[in-house]
């Protein structure tokens, strides 16, 4: 009888230890799940982080943060939106330079520089347009080739923009003409640089 009581007491004690152990295990498991559960990065945070690797992080974030819901945490979508913004700015800059050439009374050297800038900006817009078209179809076995083409086109567009700016470095060009055009071209060149960095990140 005494032996039966001891066995029952021992059984209850073992059961209590088991319950306590299980409770501690569940608590530990919950804590681990909370500590190591993957955190989904918001679109805004993703853009800010991605822009941090570009040469112009503030301009990058300023132009792209409005598209956070569209971009989310997709690097390809981020590069696509960046390229789209760059193209829009390049097109508006080209229109502005063309209007300046028609409206202002320019000296021959100024007119020649602006004409040259118009031609290089046309090339830049064309290269960015080709890049946008290629970005819309990156699926399939030709991914590497398409990415290489996009990188080449965007890089060429940046060179064209730099060439346009170089044409206005000479002192013989009117200060207002130089400052007006450079202010536009510099922004386009910076946006192109940003787009190229984000495209390179995909590759």
């Amino acid at each position: 009888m005494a032996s039966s009581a001891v066995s029952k007491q021992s059984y209850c004690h073992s059961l209590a230890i088991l319950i306590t152990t299980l409770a501690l295990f569940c608590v530990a498991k919950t804590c681990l799940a909370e500590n190591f559960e993957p955190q989904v990065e918001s679109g805004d945070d993703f853009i800010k982080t991605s822009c941090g690797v570009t040469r112009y992080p503030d301009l990058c974030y300023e132009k792209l943060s409005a598209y956070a819901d569209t971009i989310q945490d997709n690097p390809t979508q981020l590069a696509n939106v960046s390229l789209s913004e760059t193209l829009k700015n390049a097109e508006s800059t080209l229109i502005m330079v063309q209007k300046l050439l028609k409206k202002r009374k320019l000296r021959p050297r100024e007119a020649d520089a602006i004409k040259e800038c118009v031609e290089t900006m046309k090339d830049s817009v064309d290269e960015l347009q080709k890049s946008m078209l290629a970005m819309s179809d990156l699926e399939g076995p030709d991914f590497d080739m398409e990415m290489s083409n996009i990188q080449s086109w965007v890089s060429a567009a940046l060179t064209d923009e730099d060439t346009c700016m170089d044409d206005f470095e000479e002192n013989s060009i009117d200060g207002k003409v130089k400052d007006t055009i450079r202010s536009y071209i510099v922004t386009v060149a910076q946006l192109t640089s940003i787009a190229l960095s984000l495209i390179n990140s995909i590759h």
Side-chain angles (χ1 to χ4, degrees):
M1 190 78 174
S3 176
S4 176
V6 170
S7 298
K8 187 174 181 180
Q9 185 178 7
S10 177
Y11 170 77
C12 290
H13 180 67
S14 298
L15 184 60
I17 292 174
L18 178 61
I19 291 172
T20 302
T21 302
L22 286 172
L24 290 172
F25 173 76
C26 289
V27 169
K29 187 176 180 182
T30 301
C31 290
L32 286 172
E34 289 176 353
N35 288 335
F36 293 100
E37 187 174 348
Q39 297 296 312
V40 179
E41 192 172 25
S42 71
D44 190 75
D45 290 340
F46 173 70
I47 293 169
K48 189 173 291 186
T49 301
S50 300
C51 284
V53 303
T54 70
R55 292 181 64 185
Y56 311 100
D58 292 339
L59 178 63
C60 175
Y61 180 74
E62 175 192 332
K63 291 291 184 181
L64 304 182
S65 58
Y67 303 96
D69 289 342
T70 299
I71 294 168
Q72 296 185 8
D73 60 350
N74 188 320
T76 302
Q77 191 67 8
L78 177 66
N80 201 30
V81 171
S82 177
L83 194 56
S84 177
E85 280 293 300
T86 303
L87 177 58
K88 283 192 291 186
N89 275 266
E91 289 172 335
S92 63
T93 296
L94 174 58
I95 292 170
M96 184 279 300
V97 176
Q98 288 172 324
K99 287 181 178 178
L100 188 63
L101 182 61
K102 293 176 182 177
K103 289 183 177 181
R104 287 186 66 107
K105 290 182 179 179
L106 303 167
R107 290 177 295 178
R109 179 67 189 91
E110 293 169 347
D112 289 343
I114 294 177
K115 286 177 183 176
E116 183 65 27
C117 183
V118 166
E119 292 307 311
T120 55
M121 283 305 300
K122 282 181 179 178
D123 291 340
S124 176
V125 167
D126 180 61
E127 286 147 358
L128 292 171
Q129 286 174 337
K130 289 190 290 188
S131 300
M132 278 293 298
L133 183 62
M135 282 288 290
S136 66
D137 186 25
L138 279 178
E139 302 295 330
D142 296 330
F143 174 84
D144 287 337
M145 184 181 72
E146 290 292 349
M147 282 301 303
S148 179
N149 288 337
I150 292 168
Q151 288 170 315
S152 297
W153 288 326
V154 177
S155 180
L158 184 57
T159 299
D160 289 332
E161 292 149 12
D162 287 340
T163 299
C164 179
M165 287 191 289
D166 290 342
D167 288 336
F168 290 91
E169 289 300 324
E170 295 187 14
N171 294 327
S172 59
I173 296 176
D174 178 73
K176 280 189 176 181
V177 175
K178 182 190 297 187
D179 293 342
T180 300
I181 294 180
R182 276 185 58 83
S183 65
Y184 282 88
I185 301 297
V186 165
T187 299
V188 175
Q190 290 176 345
L191 289 173
T192 305
S193 172
I194 290 167
L196 183 59
S197 293
L198 298 177
I199 288 166
N200 290 339
S201 295
I202 299 174
H203 202 228

